Amino acid sequence: MTDRTEPLAQTVSYPGLGSRPHAVEVAAPHVIVLFGACGDLARRKLLPGLAYLAVSDLAPEIRVVGTSLEEMDDASFRAFTRQALAEFGNRPLTDDQWAVFEERLHYVPQARGADELARVVREESAALGEGAGLLHYLSVPPKAALSVIESLREAGLVAGSRIVMEKPFGTDLASAVDLNDRVHQTFAEEQIFRIDHFLGKEAAQNILAFRFANGLFEPIWNRNFIDHVQIDIPETLGLDRRAGFYEETGAYKDMVVTHLLQVLAFVAMEPPTALEPGAISEEKNKVFRSMLPLDPGQVVRGQYAGYRGEEGVARDSDTETFIALRCEIDNWRWAGVPFYLRTGKRMAEGARIISIAFKEAPRTMFPANSGVGQAGPDHLTFDLADESKVSLSFYGKRPGPGMKLEKLSMQFSTRETEAAGDVLEAYERLLLDAMRGDHTLFTTAEGIESLWERSAPLLQSPPPVKPYPPGTWGPNAIHQLIAPHAWRLPFERAWREKPSAG
């Protein structure tokens, strides 16, 4: 199969040295082979996302071939998919839309082998016509990924195709290098899309817009004006029947390497030479190469009370369900600016916050009782939730006599725009980007290996886990870690909501 490329009119203004002018590719009609089609991720995100893309004007014609261990036929898989859409879909399909989509759904049990899968894929590709694309989505446990890749090679479904791989990408530097080497035996790097759904969120991409499209922010986006940065992603959920996976992984490997540090790269990267995949990936990788090795003395590992009693968990488990750490980027822009990262299970709230704390004024002309300094530094806050909110806090005068100051804020939400209905969910955007061959929001082999290299001191000498009660913000040691600063979560003020019409 060959990929069809029909570039749109726009190109980037400043292509990288030696690069061809980059244009956005219009995706050809695609066959999407969904491995793990009956799994939790497929049910909650992938099948609803594919259904929306298939009936929208955003994507080309899509045909889905699901495969998994479960014994099903096409009719059973279509019923399974419709139930998934009813439970988890945010955009209900009409009966007519569902009738169109279900005709494009097919299923091949894994037991029937690679040849049968290849036969169905080729039939569906032929139905789409010459130039149809082929995308493999590996929604499977990490240990199963290489066997899936082997079956694709046996079936002759590699040439001209692309492959989406889920985290984690190794568990340390040696395993990441080995995994990349083995995958590269079958797929070239440009065919591989290592997915991080956090980077598919509207708010994550808004960081690039805020930084590089506005003269207000980019001049102050450095060590001279920024005091510290927090990336805080607590979760209220527990293991969710993933004890076997989590015991071997823990919060650092599950969340920090594959999510929080990827978001950090968007915050810290230098301006790319162009808004195109190669230039953006290179700037992200420069951030990873500039990170200092993680100091175990600047890390707090926690484990919620009751974790060791969970089914599938060792009674003497040292796996962390919580981690908070300080890291630094040793380059001209960020030298001396600490980045604080925190994530964990069974915490007080679920949130996805990036908070940029600006340095306070060196001297103040306001009297001691004016309120200046009592509410901490000014912050620019990005909320990575689906609503994509941004807030800028600052001191302002309280109305009335005298000079009394208080913290005020300017806030923005995509819900307040006329384009609120155009927001794509993260997996929808990333699936569309993979079909178009756009690597901008995906992770490279070099980037992953750099992060594991900087993680080596922590992986070799992890501090012992500290207990914390479920429903809290983690062990008390997190306050010493960030001192003299304070964690932004929980917020002292709530996000403002737009009043409902009428």
Side-chain angles (χ1 to χ4, degrees):
M1 297 179 188
T2 58
D3 296 318
R4 183 185 69 185
T5 303
E6 297 176 4
L8 296 180
Q10 77 258 34
T11 59
V12 296
S13 300
Y14 305 101
L17 183 64
S19 69
R20 293 176 286 110
H22 174 78
V24 177
E25 178 182 330
V26 177
H30 259 71
V31 176
I32 297 179
V33 184
L34 180 55
F35 292 87
C38 300
D40 194 57
L41 177 61
R43 244 179 4 112
R44 291 175 178 271
K45 295 294 183 181
L46 300 179
L47 290 171
L50 286 168
Y52 174 69
L53 289 176
V55 301
S56 73
D57 295 329
L58 298 170
E61 184 176 351
I62 294 171
R63 298 195 172 215
V64 179
V65 179
T67 181
S68 193
L69 294 173
E70 286 77 3
E71 282 292 332
M72 286 189 185
D73 56 15
D74 287 355
S76 301
F77 182 56
R78 290 166 181 172
F80 175 86
T81 300
R82 188 157 202 186
Q83 181 63 31
L85 268 59
E87 288 186 49
F88 303 108
N90 293 326
R91 305 178 181 90
L93 271 58
T94 66
D95 289 340
D96 289 343
Q97 288 173 328
W98 168 251
V100 171
F101 183 55
E102 73 168 338
E103 290 299 317
R104 302 174 182 176
L105 289 170
H106 299 275
Y107 186 82
V108 180
Q110 189 172 314
R112 295 192 187 175
D115 290 342
E116 177 64 12
L117 177 64
R119 183 190 67 78
V120 175
V121 169
R122 290 187 177 112
E123 281 185 1
E124 294 306 298
S125 181
L128 291 176
E130 186 177 357
L134 176 58
L135 179 68
H136 308 293
Y137 197 114
L138 273 58
S139 179
V140 298
K143 291 181 179 179
L146 291 174
S147 63
V148 169
I149 290 171
E150 175 65 28
S151 69
L152 290 174
R153 185 168 60 239
E154 292 176 4
L157 296 176
V158 173
S161 71
R162 296 174 178 133
I163 183 170
V164 179
M165 298 185 65
E166 281 281 347
K167 67 173 178 78
F169 313 109
T171 56
D172 56 18
L173 178 58
S175 62
V177 170
D178 179 64
L179 176 62
N180 285 327
D181 287 347
R182 294 175 71 179
V183 174
H184 285 155
Q185 291 173 8
T186 302
F187 288 93
E189 179 66 17
E190 58 267 22
Q191 293 177 277
I192 304 168
F193 292 76
R194 299 171 187 82
I195 195 168
D196 171 16
H197 69 274
F198 275 59
L199 297 188
K201 293 179 177 294
E202 199 77 35
Q205 296 163 75
N206 224 355
I207 297 170
L208 300 182
F210 263 72
R211 286 194 56 191
F212 302 131
N214 297 292
L216 175 63
F217 293 112
E218 181 54 28
I220 60 172
W221 209 266
N222 56 59
R223 57 186 166 79
N224 296 319
F225 298 94
I226 292 178
D227 185 78
H228 66 279
V229 177
Q230 294 181 35
I231 301 176
D232 209 350
I233 304 181
E235 298 180 293
T236 57
L237 295 175
L239 300 185
D240 195 24
R241 296 174 297 182
R242 295 196 308 156
F245 164 79
Y246 208 83
E247 263 291 88
E248 297 181 1
T249 309
Y252 182 76
K253 297 175 182 177
D254 183 42
M255 290 291 293
V256 178
V257 175
T258 49
H259 292 322
L260 276 72
L261 290 175
Q262 301 297 328
V263 172
L264 180 150
F266 267 24
V267 175
M269 63 190 280
E270 295 297 318
T273 57
L275 193 65
E276 56 95 16
I280 291 176
S281 292
E282 174 57 19
E283 295 306 332
K284 286 174 58 184
N285 289 343
K286 286 180 183 177
V287 173
F288 300 147
R289 292 196 295 267
S290 299
M291 279 181 56
L292 294 175
L294 294 180
D295 178 1
Q298 297 291 324
V299 177
V300 175
R301 296 170 68 240
Q303 187 184 90
Y304 67 76
Y307 171 77
R308 295 179 182 178
E310 301 267 12
E311 184 178 354
V313 173
R315 295 300 173 258
D316 60 349
S317 173
D318 190 53
T319 298
E320 80 278 359
T321 62
F322 168 96
I323 191 162
L325 60 91
R326 169 182 170 142
C327 64
E328 295 189 36
I329 301 170
D330 189 22
N331 63 17
W332 190 270
R333 181 184 293 264
W334 295 110
V337 177
F339 287 73
Y340 298 101
L341 282 56
R342 176 173 66 167
T343 186
K345 299 287 187 184
R346 301 287 299 273
M347 298 186 68
E349 294 177 21
R352 296 164 180 174
I353 297 294
I354 303 169
S355 188
I356 316 294
F358 294 100
K359 290 186 176 180
E360 298 187 67
R363 294 184 63 83
T364 179
M365 64 182 182
F366 298 96
N369 63 350
S370 65
V372 170
Q374 294 180 5
D378 300 337
H379 285 86
L380 178 64
T381 303
F382 295 87
D383 186 343
L384 298 188
D386 292 335
E387 293 178 15
S388 182
K389 300 174 182 177
V390 183
S391 172
L392 178 63
S393 69
F394 54 93
Y395 283 101
K397 182 185 177 301
R398 182 186 299 172
M403 183 57 74
K404 199 75 173 176
L405 278 69
E406 62 185 358
K407 265 296 171 73
L408 307 174
S409 67
M410 293 186 290
Q411 298 185 6
F412 159 81
S413 170
T414 52
R415 290 178 58 185
E416 299 172 0
T417 71
E418 294 181 357
D422 295 337
V423 174
L424 287 174
E425 291 197 351
Y427 281 100
E428 294 168 354
R429 178 185 304 279
L430 294 169
L431 281 164
L432 187 57
D433 282 355
M435 284 188 277
R436 291 167 51 218
D438 188 341
H439 280 86
T440 303
L441 302 177
F442 294 86
T443 305
T444 67
E446 178 189 343
I448 285 293
E449 291 174 11
S450 290
L451 289 177
W452 284 122
E453 185 176 9
R454 274 103 191 123
S455 304
L458 173 60
L459 299 179
Q460 293 166 3
S461 302
V465 294
K466 299 178 182 293
Y468 65 96
T472 66
W473 291 101
N476 288 332
I478 62 171
H479 303 297
Q480 287 75 47
L481 174 70
I482 202 171
H485 315 299
W487 293 99
R488 282 277 281 161
L489 285 176
F491 278 142
E492 65 276 6
R493 63 180 66 82
W495 291 100
R496 290 194 293 270
E497 298 294 337
K498 182 180 180 181
S500 58

